[in-house]
Amino acid sequence: MNISKVNNQQNTAINKNKKKSRNVGASIGASFLGSVVQTASVPLSLAVINTMKKIGSLPQDKIEIMHNAAEKALIDTGLSNKGAKIQYLERNKQDFKLPKYLRILNPIEQIKDGKNAAFVNKDLKNFITKKVIFPKNTILMPKRDISFAAFHEIGHALNYNFSKFGKILQHMRNPLMGLAGAIALYGAFTQNRKTEDGKELTKGQKFKNFVRNNAGKLSIAAMLPILWEEGMATCKGQKLANKLLSKDMAKIVSKGNKVAYLSYIIGVLSLGAASYASVKIKDYLVAKKAKKADNKVV
Protein backbone atom coordinates (compact mmCIF):
# COMPACT_ATOMS: atom_id res chain seq x y z
CA MET A 1 0.00 0.00 0.00
CA ASN A 2 1.26 3.47 -0.86
CA ILE A 3 1.73 5.25 2.51
CA SER A 4 1.96 8.65 0.84
CA LYS A 5 -1.38 8.04 -0.86
CA VAL A 6 -2.99 7.06 2.47
CA ASN A 7 -1.66 10.22 4.14
CA ASN A 8 -3.02 12.34 1.32
CA GLN A 9 -6.42 10.70 1.68
CA GLN A 10 -6.37 11.33 5.44
CA ASN A 11 -5.43 14.98 4.94
CA THR A 12 -8.17 15.40 2.35
CA ALA A 13 -10.72 13.90 4.74
CA ILE A 14 -9.58 16.18 7.57
CA ASN A 15 -9.79 19.24 5.34
CA LYS A 16 -13.29 18.27 4.21
CA ASN A 17 -14.39 17.86 7.81
CA LYS A 18 -12.98 21.27 8.64
CA LYS A 19 -14.87 22.82 5.74
CA LYS A 20 -18.09 21.09 6.69
CA SER A 21 -17.82 22.05 10.36
CA ARG A 22 -19.68 25.25 11.03
CA ASN A 23 -18.50 25.37 14.65
CA VAL A 24 -22.01 26.21 15.81
CA GLY A 25 -21.12 25.54 19.44
CA ALA A 26 -18.15 27.91 19.25
CA SER A 27 -20.33 30.55 17.56
CA ILE A 28 -23.01 30.37 20.24
CA GLY A 29 -20.37 30.43 22.97
CA ALA A 30 -18.61 33.42 21.41
CA SER A 31 -21.89 35.31 21.04
CA PHE A 32 -22.88 34.60 24.64
CA LEU A 33 -19.50 35.52 26.10
CA GLY A 34 -19.44 38.66 23.96
CA SER A 35 -22.78 39.71 25.46
CA VAL A 36 -21.31 39.05 28.92
CA VAL A 37 -18.52 41.50 28.08
CA GLN A 38 -21.18 44.09 27.19
CA THR A 39 -23.10 43.59 30.43
CA ALA A 40 -19.89 44.30 32.33
CA SER A 41 -20.64 47.98 31.66
CA VAL A 42 -23.93 47.81 33.59
CA PRO A 43 -22.38 48.93 36.93
CA LEU A 44 -20.93 51.98 35.17
CA SER A 45 -24.29 52.80 33.60
CA LEU A 46 -26.04 52.45 36.94
CA ALA A 47 -23.44 54.74 38.52
CA VAL A 48 -24.18 57.35 35.84
CA ILE A 49 -27.94 57.08 36.48
CA ASN A 50 -27.43 57.45 40.24
CA THR A 51 -25.21 60.49 39.68
CA MET A 52 -27.87 62.02 37.43
CA LYS A 53 -30.51 61.49 40.10
CA LYS A 54 -28.23 63.08 42.70
CA ILE A 55 -27.64 66.14 40.50
CA GLY A 56 -31.37 66.34 39.77
CA SER A 57 -32.47 66.05 43.38
CA LEU A 58 -33.52 69.66 43.74
CA PRO A 59 -35.89 71.42 46.13
CA GLN A 60 -39.41 71.93 44.82
CA ASP A 61 -38.93 75.64 44.11
CA LYS A 62 -35.97 74.93 41.81
CA ILE A 63 -37.84 72.11 40.11
CA GLU A 64 -40.65 74.55 39.33
CA ILE A 65 -38.13 77.03 37.93
CA MET A 66 -36.75 74.30 35.63
CA HIS A 67 -40.23 73.26 34.53
CA ASN A 68 -41.38 76.83 33.88
CA ALA A 69 -38.24 77.59 31.88
CA ALA A 70 -38.70 74.43 29.81
CA GLU A 71 -42.31 75.37 29.04
CA LYS A 72 -41.19 78.85 28.02
CA ALA A 73 -38.52 77.32 25.79
CA LEU A 74 -41.23 75.46 23.86
CA ILE A 75 -42.96 78.77 23.17
CA ASP A 76 -39.82 80.80 22.39
CA THR A 77 -38.48 78.22 19.92
CA GLY A 78 -41.80 77.75 18.13
CA LEU A 79 -42.01 74.12 19.20
CA SER A 80 -45.39 74.67 20.81
CA ASN A 81 -46.71 75.79 17.41
CA LYS A 82 -45.49 72.45 16.04
CA GLY A 83 -47.56 70.65 18.67
CA ALA A 84 -44.65 69.78 20.94
CA LYS A 85 -45.48 69.45 24.62
CA ILE A 86 -44.05 68.13 27.86
CA GLN A 87 -45.84 65.38 29.75
CA TYR A 88 -44.77 64.63 33.30
CA LEU A 89 -44.99 61.04 34.49
CA GLU A 90 -45.07 59.63 38.00
CA ARG A 91 -45.72 56.26 39.57
CA ASN A 92 -49.26 55.98 40.88
CA LYS A 93 -50.59 53.45 43.37
CA GLN A 94 -52.87 52.14 40.63
CA ASP A 95 -49.89 51.25 38.46
CA PHE A 96 -49.10 47.61 37.91
CA LYS A 97 -46.10 47.11 40.17
CA LEU A 98 -43.30 45.56 38.16
CA PRO A 99 -40.20 44.13 39.85
CA LYS A 100 -37.30 46.56 39.88
CA TYR A 101 -35.20 44.44 37.53
CA LEU A 102 -37.98 44.63 34.92
CA ARG A 103 -38.50 48.37 35.39
CA ILE A 104 -34.87 48.92 34.41
CA LEU A 105 -35.62 47.44 30.97
CA ASN A 106 -38.71 49.57 30.28
CA PRO A 107 -38.00 53.19 29.24
CA ILE A 108 -41.42 54.44 30.40
CA GLU A 109 -40.97 52.81 33.79
CA GLN A 110 -37.51 54.35 34.01
CA ILE A 111 -39.05 57.78 33.49
CA LYS A 112 -41.66 57.14 36.18
CA ASP A 113 -38.83 56.14 38.51
CA GLY A 114 -37.03 59.41 37.75
CA LYS A 115 -34.09 57.74 36.01
CA ASN A 116 -34.66 58.80 32.42
CA ALA A 117 -36.43 61.19 30.05
CA ALA A 118 -37.35 60.90 26.38
CA PHE A 119 -38.54 62.68 23.27
CA VAL A 120 -41.17 60.75 21.30
CA ASN A 121 -40.59 61.19 17.54
CA LYS A 122 -43.29 58.71 16.53
CA ASP A 123 -46.55 57.63 18.16
CA LEU A 124 -46.02 55.17 21.00
CA LYS A 125 -48.80 52.60 20.92
CA ASN A 126 -50.01 49.97 23.36
CA PHE A 127 -48.59 46.64 22.21
CA ILE A 128 -51.93 44.86 22.66
CA THR A 129 -54.67 47.44 21.96
CA LYS A 130 -52.62 49.43 19.40
CA LYS A 131 -53.98 52.64 20.92
CA VAL A 132 -51.66 55.65 21.03
CA ILE A 133 -50.31 56.09 24.55
CA PHE A 134 -48.04 59.03 23.81
CA PRO A 135 -48.30 60.95 20.50
CA LYS A 136 -45.21 62.01 18.59
CA ASN A 137 -43.68 65.38 19.47
CA THR A 138 -44.11 64.67 23.18
CA ILE A 139 -41.36 65.08 25.75
CA LEU A 140 -41.70 62.60 28.59
CA MET A 141 -40.27 63.76 31.90
CA PRO A 142 -40.36 62.55 35.50
CA LYS A 143 -42.65 64.59 37.72
CA ARG A 144 -39.86 65.69 40.03
CA ASP A 145 -36.46 64.11 39.33
CA ILE A 146 -33.78 65.11 36.77
CA SER A 147 -35.73 68.23 35.76
CA PHE A 148 -32.55 69.48 34.06
CA ALA A 149 -33.01 66.80 31.36
CA ALA A 150 -35.96 68.69 29.86
CA PHE A 151 -33.57 70.98 27.98
CA HIS A 152 -31.75 68.06 26.38
CA GLU A 153 -35.08 66.57 25.28
CA ILE A 154 -36.13 69.96 23.91
CA GLY A 155 -32.91 69.79 21.90
CA HIS A 156 -34.15 66.49 20.42
CA ALA A 157 -37.46 68.17 19.62
CA LEU A 158 -35.61 70.98 17.83
CA ASN A 159 -33.64 68.41 15.82
CA TYR A 160 -36.86 66.66 14.83
CA ASN A 161 -38.93 69.74 13.96
CA PHE A 162 -36.37 72.21 12.58
CA SER A 163 -33.32 70.25 11.40
CA LYS A 164 -33.51 67.95 8.38
CA PHE A 165 -30.13 66.47 9.27
CA GLY A 166 -31.10 66.01 12.91
CA LYS A 167 -34.35 64.33 11.93
CA ILE A 168 -32.51 61.95 9.57
CA LEU A 169 -30.10 61.03 12.37
CA GLN A 170 -33.02 60.30 14.69
CA HIS A 171 -34.64 57.98 12.13
CA MET A 172 -31.28 56.25 11.61
CA ARG A 173 -31.00 55.43 15.31
CA ASN A 174 -32.69 52.02 15.40
CA PRO A 175 -31.22 50.78 12.08
CA LEU A 176 -27.73 51.79 13.22
CA MET A 177 -28.15 50.05 16.56
CA GLY A 178 -29.30 46.98 14.66
CA LEU A 179 -26.29 47.20 12.36
CA ALA A 180 -23.87 47.49 15.28
CA GLY A 181 -25.42 44.41 16.90
CA ALA A 182 -25.38 42.53 13.57
CA ILE A 183 -21.65 43.15 13.23
CA ALA A 184 -21.11 41.54 16.64
CA LEU A 185 -23.18 38.51 15.61
CA TYR A 186 -21.40 38.28 12.27
CA GLY A 187 -18.05 38.11 14.04
CA ALA A 188 -19.30 35.34 16.30
CA PHE A 189 -20.89 33.20 13.59
CA THR A 190 -18.22 33.44 10.88
CA GLN A 191 -14.53 32.71 10.40
CA ASN A 192 -11.81 34.42 8.38
CA ARG A 193 -11.42 32.98 4.90
CA LYS A 194 -7.89 31.84 4.05
CA THR A 195 -6.20 31.33 0.72
CA GLU A 196 -6.33 27.77 -0.60
CA ASP A 197 -4.01 26.12 -3.13
CA GLY A 198 -2.34 29.44 -3.88
CA LYS A 199 -5.61 31.09 -4.97
CA GLU A 200 -6.21 34.70 -4.02
CA LEU A 201 -9.22 35.67 -1.99
CA THR A 202 -12.11 37.28 -3.85
CA LYS A 203 -13.11 40.87 -3.11
CA GLY A 204 -16.14 39.56 -1.25
CA GLN A 205 -14.01 37.29 0.92
CA LYS A 206 -11.56 40.11 1.63
CA PHE A 207 -14.46 42.37 2.62
CA LYS A 208 -15.87 39.73 4.98
CA ASN A 209 -12.44 39.29 6.59
CA PHE A 210 -12.17 43.07 6.95
CA VAL A 211 -15.51 43.21 8.78
CA ARG A 212 -14.48 40.42 11.15
CA ASN A 213 -11.01 41.82 11.80
CA ASN A 214 -12.42 45.28 12.54
CA ALA A 215 -15.72 44.28 14.16
CA GLY A 216 -15.15 46.32 17.31
CA LYS A 217 -14.22 49.50 15.43
CA LEU A 218 -17.07 49.09 12.94
CA SER A 219 -19.65 48.62 15.70
CA ILE A 220 -18.44 51.83 17.32
CA ALA A 221 -18.44 53.64 13.96
CA ALA A 222 -22.05 52.55 13.34
CA MET A 223 -23.08 54.22 16.60
CA LEU A 224 -21.28 57.53 16.04
CA PRO A 225 -24.24 59.22 14.28
CA ILE A 226 -26.29 58.50 17.41
CA LEU A 227 -23.68 60.22 19.58
CA TRP A 228 -23.68 63.12 17.11
CA GLU A 229 -27.43 63.64 17.34
CA GLU A 230 -27.31 63.37 21.14
CA GLY A 231 -24.56 65.99 21.17
CA MET A 232 -26.62 68.28 18.93
CA ALA A 233 -29.56 67.97 21.32
CA THR A 234 -27.38 68.73 24.34
CA CYS A 235 -25.82 71.83 22.75
CA LYS A 236 -29.18 73.25 21.64
CA GLY A 237 -30.74 72.55 25.02
CA GLN A 238 -27.85 74.16 26.87
CA LYS A 239 -28.14 77.35 24.81
CA LEU A 240 -31.76 77.61 25.88
CA ALA A 241 -30.87 76.91 29.51
CA ASN A 242 -28.20 79.63 29.45
CA LYS A 243 -30.76 82.07 28.06
CA LEU A 244 -33.71 81.26 30.33
CA LEU A 245 -32.07 80.30 33.63
CA SER A 246 -29.74 81.91 36.13
CA LYS A 247 -26.06 80.96 35.88
CA ASP A 248 -26.31 78.62 38.87
CA MET A 249 -29.34 76.83 37.45
CA ALA A 250 -27.81 76.64 33.96
CA LYS A 251 -24.73 75.01 35.51
CA ILE A 252 -26.95 72.28 36.95
CA VAL A 253 -28.31 71.61 33.47
CA SER A 254 -24.80 71.53 32.00
CA LYS A 255 -23.44 69.21 34.68
CA GLY A 256 -26.42 66.87 34.51
CA ASN A 257 -26.37 66.58 30.72
CA LYS A 258 -22.61 65.97 30.62
CA VAL A 259 -23.02 63.07 33.03
CA ALA A 260 -25.98 61.79 31.03
CA TYR A 261 -23.89 61.86 27.84
CA LEU A 262 -21.46 59.47 29.50
CA SER A 263 -24.16 56.79 29.44
CA TYR A 264 -24.21 56.93 25.63
CA ILE A 265 -20.42 56.76 25.41
CA ILE A 266 -20.37 53.79 27.77
CA GLY A 267 -23.04 52.04 25.71
CA VAL A 268 -21.15 52.57 22.43
CA LEU A 269 -17.81 51.43 23.84
CA SER A 270 -19.33 48.37 25.51
CA LEU A 271 -20.93 47.29 22.22
CA GLY A 272 -17.60 47.74 20.45
CA ALA A 273 -15.89 45.66 23.13
CA ALA A 274 -18.55 42.95 22.75
CA SER A 275 -18.00 42.80 18.97
CA TYR A 276 -14.23 42.62 19.40
CA ALA A 277 -14.49 39.96 22.10
CA SER A 278 -16.92 37.84 20.06
CA VAL A 279 -14.41 37.54 17.21
CA LYS A 280 -11.45 36.79 19.46
CA ILE A 281 -13.38 34.22 21.49
CA LYS A 282 -14.69 32.51 18.35
CA ASP A 283 -11.20 32.27 16.86
CA TYR A 284 -9.82 30.93 20.12
CA LEU A 285 -12.51 28.25 20.45
CA VAL A 286 -12.13 27.16 16.81
CA ALA A 287 -8.32 26.97 17.14
CA LYS A 288 -8.65 24.97 20.34
CA LYS A 289 -11.06 22.54 18.68
CA ALA A 290 -8.78 22.15 15.63
CA LYS A 291 -5.76 21.49 17.83
CA LYS A 292 -7.67 18.84 19.74
CA ALA A 293 -8.75 17.19 16.46
CA ASP A 294 -5.17 17.24 15.13
CA ASN A 295 -3.89 15.56 18.32
CA LYS A 296 -6.44 12.80 17.88
CA VAL A 297 -5.36 12.18 14.29
CA VAL A 298 -1.72 12.02 15.31
Side-chain angles (χ1 to χ4, degrees):
M1 183 181 289
N2 190 323
I3 296 176
S4 177
K5 186 176 181 181
V6 172
N7 287 337
N8 287 337
Q9 289 175 343
Q10 288 178 337
N11 290 334
T12 301
I14 291 169
N15 289 333
K16 284 182 179 179
N17 287 332
K18 285 182 178 179
K19 288 179 182 179
K20 288 179 181 179
S21 175
R22 296 181 182 276
N23 296 294
V24 175
S27 297
I28 294 173
S31 180
F32 172 74
L33 292 174
S35 65
V36 171
V37 170
Q38 189 174 5
T39 58
S41 67
V42 170
L44 284 174
S45 297
L46 291 176
V48 168
I49 291 172
N50 290 333
T51 303
M52 284 173 56
K53 284 205 71 173
K54 186 176 180 180
I55 294 171
S57 295
L58 303 174
Q60 188 58 39
D61 60 330
K62 289 189 176 181
I63 291 174
E64 289 179 3
I65 290 172
M66 289 285 192
H67 287 179
N68 291 336
E71 295 290 349
K72 190 173 189 306
L74 292 183
I75 297 171
D76 291 353
T77 58
L79 283 171
S80 58
N81 293 332
K82 293 285 187 176
K85 61 180 180 179
I86 300 174
Q87 188 164 341
Y88 298 97
L89 307 182
E90 61 180 335
R91 188 166 299 286
N92 299 315
K93 293 180 180 179
Q94 295 81 9
D95 283 353
F96 177 73
K97 294 184 178 180
L98 291 171
K100 284 186 178 181
Y101 67 89
L102 287 179
R103 295 212 301 260
I104 292 174
L105 302 175
N106 187 313
I108 302 301
E109 298 301 320
Q110 290 176 12
I111 295 171
K112 289 181 179 180
D113 286 336
K115 296 178 179 179
N116 206 348
F119 170 68
V120 181
N121 61 11
K122 61 180 180 180
D123 292 344
L124 287 184
K125 298 180 180 179
N126 184 287
F127 181 76
I128 299 173
T129 64
K130 304 300 180 182
K131 290 183 178 179
V132 175
I133 306 172
F134 301 110
K136 66 179 181 179
N137 239 357
T138 301
I139 293 170
L140 303 179
M141 286 289 300
K143 186 73 174 179
R144 284 171 289 277
D145 296 305
I146 62 170
S147 54
F148 63 82
F151 292 93
H152 173 78
E153 301 307 329
I154 289 172
H156 280 305
L158 289 170
N159 286 343
Y160 179 79
N161 288 281
F162 298 114
S163 170
K164 289 183 179 179
F165 182 61
K167 190 172 184 177
I168 290 171
L169 289 178
Q170 285 186 12
H171 287 309
M172 288 172 62
R173 188 185 190 93
N174 289 337
L176 288 174
M177 290 177 69
L179 174 61
I183 291 171
L185 287 174
Y186 181 80
F189 282 85
T190 59
Q191 292 176 241
N192 278 348
R193 296 299 298 271
K194 298 179 180 179
T195 56
E196 296 178 2
D197 300 326
K199 295 180 181 178
E200 288 190 10
L201 296 177
T202 65
K203 290 183 179 180
Q205 290 171 334
K206 288 179 180 179
F207 176 75
K208 290 175 181 178
N209 285 355
F210 173 81
V211 173
R212 281 197 92 249
N213 295 333
N214 297 276
K217 295 176 184 177
L218 291 174
S219 287
I220 291 174
M223 299 287 283
L224 290 181
I226 296 173
L227 289 181
W228 194 341
E229 197 273 329
E230 291 291 342
M232 288 173 62
T234 294
C235 290
K236 291 178 180 180
Q238 190 60 49
K239 286 181 180 180
L240 288 169
N242 293 341
K243 180 181 177 181
L244 298 171
L245 294 169
S246 66
K247 287 186 178 181
D248 289 342
M249 294 290 283
K251 283 181 180 179
I252 294 173
V253 175
S254 177
K255 186 177 180 181
N257 286 335
K258 284 177 182 177
V259 172
Y261 197 75
L262 282 176
S263 65
Y264 296 103
I265 294 175
I266 291 169
V268 169
L269 293 179
S270 66
L271 183 53
S275 297
Y276 174 83
S278 295
V279 172
K280 294 301 179 182
I281 293 168
K282 171 65 177 293
D283 290 346
Y284 169 79
L285 293 175
V286 170
K288 186 178 180 181
K289 181 181 177 182
K291 185 177 180 180
K292 188 176 179 180
D294 289 340
N295 289 337
K296 283 184 179 181
V297 172
V298 174

